[in-house]
Amino acid sequence: MATPAVHYPWYKKEDTDAFFALFQNNIANFVIIALTMLGMGFPAAIVFGQVLPGAAVAVMVGNFYYAWSAARLARKENRADVTALSYGISTPVMFVFLFGVLLPAKQLTGDADLAWKIAVAACFISGAIEALVSLIGRWVQRHLPRAAMLGAVAGVALTFIAGEMLFKTLEIPVIGLLVMAIIIVGLIGRVSMPFRIPTSLFAIVIGTALAYLIGATEEGQFSDAFTHLGFYPLLPTLAWFEGLGLLFTSMLAVLTVVLPITLYNAIETMNNVEAMEAAGDKYDVRECQAVDGAGTMIGALFGGVFPTTVYIATVGAKWMGAGRGYSILNGAVYAMATMFGLIAMLAAIIPVSVVAPILVFVGMSMIATAFQTNDTRYYPAVALAMLPYFANYVMTRFNNAAGEVVSDISTAIVALGQGAMFTAILIGAMTVSVIDHQFRRAAVFALFAAGFSFIGLMHAPRLAFNAAPDFAMGYVVMALFFGFYALQGARQERPLPSGD
């Protein structure tokens, strides 16, 4: 007798808790995007009329797909306790795109519209790369050390996120320091806030209320915020196509940020899907990477500039007993909130100095994660991988005048800052290999660094043959040095000839 099919509900009460847990994370990202981009000088028409609707389309498409995927798995295994994968904007990747793509593009072009188009093209390429990585994702994970990847991301977190936002925090000390105290107590000290309100929400409410109470906001800011309510249709745009031309002519260096952070994103998707498998729901990792890439590209077609991914929060939703309903609701709510300007209103009400301390914590968390998820013997590799972004931070702050401004400090600052993500990952990978006494592998990474320097992906302002010859030669010398120890190790491992 055939086993009767189990009913897999569209929505159940456990989906409500899971929805609010995911909603809080995504709403924070959307508000941070709006506040940060407005602070960079991007007009509201681009932020609320293009970027957020594009992001909402990506979130909606991905959540609806994963709800369908959960139903497919439930039918295949004939069980009703399947949880859909959580999906949204990748927080670490979001910050890298904000400060590693949008900000440099805005500073170098001086035009917000051009910078947005460049970022849309970069986002589209990121999605295409992740879709391709789905074919070789496991190979990348095996060969690129986690310490190098996370160390490079931690460098961005330390300089552009935690460091930059600490400056913003202290621009209004009374508000910034109070909000920072709330974040330290609630998120680091893990002490409950009054009425068990989530710490981030409590910090935003208290900080915003204090800002209006002491007159630290602009006159009419609160009432003007409601003017952002309106209708922002989800419409496709050709900005990604126009941006490709700009990206491959004047802003090709942006790809040195896009490629490694996309690989990081693909590997995180793999890790999160594998964590879900351990919790009881087995999804195809390669399919999920392809879906994340496709969702990112679809978002870019609608003006979005931020890659999307499977969240590790899925395991939390599994523990809550959620099904597919929370995923469906999440996609629908973000589409509606973005279309009718609710996120725009929130972003206009909340002062930057209130959100900045939360971003300091985000940066700290990314740095801490880089160390916590690696064995202690790899800490030097993580630390070394962080350093190139100090140079990148200084270089981007002075734009085209950087070479002249910082020449009295060191002539290497600008060169080190160019292609900093590649430099960080490859130097970190060499260090990991040496720590493991894999000198041949270290030599290979050094040769990659030499090749990247030769064609201008590192230490050069643009792509060209023989772009950074001194650096290319330096990395070749490193490769030879590592190769010497690789040969020494091979000789030591070779069995001695037996005597007569």
Side-chain angles (χ1 to χ4, degrees):
M1 181 180 292
T3 304
V6 172
H7 173 64
Y8 186 56
W10 284 95
Y11 197 90
K12 52 184 177 178
K13 64 178 182 179
E14 290 84 359
D15 283 317
T16 302
D17 291 335
F19 163 74
F20 279 110
L22 183 58
F23 178 82
Q24 180 182 334
N25 187 83
N26 269 325
I27 194 69
N29 283 347
F30 273 63
V31 171
I32 288 167
I33 287 168
L35 288 173
T36 305
M37 289 189 66
L38 291 172
M40 290 177 181
F42 286 90
I46 288 179
V47 177
F48 302 129
Q50 300 287 350
V51 173
L52 293 188
V57 168
V59 169
M60 180 174 60
V61 168
N63 275 282
F64 288 172
Y65 183 90
Y66 283 126
W68 173 82
S69 181
R72 182 182 61 185
L73 181 62
R75 287 194 302 270
K76 177 183 177 182
E77 300 186 356
N78 199 32
R79 57 189 180 89
D81 61 345
V82 173
T83 300
L85 294 170
S86 301
Y87 180 82
I89 294 172
S90 168
T91 302
V93 179
M94 175 188 77
F95 284 113
V96 171
F97 263 71
L98 278 171
F99 297 106
V101 177
L102 277 165
L103 183 60
K106 174 70 163 53
Q107 291 174 330
L108 292 173
T109 63
D111 187 306
D113 188 63
L114 290 180
W116 164 63
K117 290 177 179 177
I118 290 168
V120 172
C123 182
F124 185 86
I125 290 173
S126 176
I129 292 171
E130 181 157 7
L132 291 174
V133 167
S134 67
L135 303 175
I136 58 168
R138 292 190 181 277
W139 184 90
V140 172
Q141 187 181 40
R142 286 196 303 270
H143 290 85
L144 202 57
R146 176 180 286 266
M149 293 279 289
L150 294 186
V153 173
V156 178
L158 180 61
T159 52
F160 288 96
I161 303 173
E164 181 92 353
M165 290 301 109
L166 184 59
F167 303 153
K168 296 289 184 183
T169 296
L170 299 180
E171 287 179 359
I172 309 178
V174 174
I175 297 171
L177 291 174
L178 173 60
V179 175
M180 181 175 286
I182 294 172
I183 295 301
I184 291 172
V185 170
L187 296 182
I188 299 178
R190 300 185 181 278
V191 177
S192 298
M193 294 293 106
F195 308 108
R196 295 191 175 278
I197 299 174
T199 300
S200 297
L201 178 60
F202 184 75
I204 289 174
V205 170
I206 296 298
T208 302
L210 180 60
Y212 285 96
L213 186 64
I214 67 175
T217 58
E218 296 179 8
E219 185 177 351
Q221 181 173 334
F222 184 82
S223 58
D224 290 346
F226 290 90
T227 63
H228 290 290
L229 293 174
F231 183 62
Y232 302 89
L234 308 179
L235 298 174
T237 173
L238 290 176
W240 67 275
F241 185 75
E242 297 176 43
L244 285 175
L246 297 167
L247 187 62
F248 284 103
T249 53
S250 58
M251 290 294 297
L252 197 57
V254 167
L255 293 179
T256 65
V257 175
V258 173
L259 179 57
I261 198 61
T262 301
L263 293 177
Y264 164 84
N265 201 33
I267 291 171
E268 283 304 295
T269 292
M270 181 182 297
N271 292 340
N272 295 339
V273 173
E274 288 180 349
M276 194 61 177
E277 181 177 347
D281 293 336
K282 184 176 182 179
Y283 291 96
D284 188 324
V285 170
R286 291 175 298 178
E287 178 187 357
C288 292
Q289 289 175 327
V291 169
D292 290 357
T296 296
M297 287 190 287
I298 291 171
L301 295 179
F302 284 79
V305 299
F306 299 101
T308 46
T309 187
V310 171
Y311 279 171
I312 197 169
T314 306
V315 175
K318 181 69 177 176
W319 291 342
M320 294 177 188
R324 57 176 165 174
Y326 86 103
S327 188
I328 296 171
L329 185 59
N330 187 67
V333 165
Y334 275 94
M336 297 296 291
T338 303
M339 279 197 295
F340 292 102
L342 296 177
I343 294 173
M345 182 189 72
L346 289 174
I349 290 174
I350 303 169
V352 174
S353 292
V354 172
V355 177
I358 300 174
L359 302 188
V360 173
F361 171 77
V362 170
M364 291 164 48
S365 300
M366 292 167 68
I367 297 166
T369 298
F371 288 98
Q372 291 170 352
T373 58
N374 283 287
D375 192 275
T376 54
R377 71 179 187 276
Y378 296 130
Y379 284 5
V382 174
L384 187 56
M386 293 170 62
L387 296 180
Y389 262 92
F390 282 100
N392 185 267
Y393 180 83
V394 173
M395 183 194 78
T396 54
R397 285 300 170 269
F398 292 109
N399 299 328
N400 295 330
E404 182 179 345
V405 173
V406 303
S407 60
D408 290 337
I409 303 174
S410 173
T411 57
I413 290 177
V414 173
L416 181 59
Q418 291 162 333
M421 183 68 80
F422 280 140
T423 305
I425 289 176
L426 289 172
I427 288 180
M430 291 179 222
T431 307
V432 168
S433 301
V434 171
I435 289 170
D436 291 337
H437 285 198
Q438 295 180 347
F439 293 104
R440 181 180 300 177
R441 191 181 185 198
V444 170
F445 283 123
L447 290 175
F448 268 108
F452 283 11
S453 300
F454 182 78
I455 63 175
L457 284 173
M458 292 162 47
H459 310 307
R462 65 186 63 86
L463 288 182
F465 286 110
N466 205 27
D470 292 345
F471 283 94
M473 182 60 66
Y475 287 121
V476 168
V477 172
M478 287 183 75
L480 292 173
F481 184 70
F482 294 144
F484 169 78
Y485 279 95
L487 290 174
Q488 292 294 105
R491 287 172 182 161
Q492 290 173 6
E493 292 173 5
R494 191 175 301 152
L496 295 173
S498 57
D500 293 330

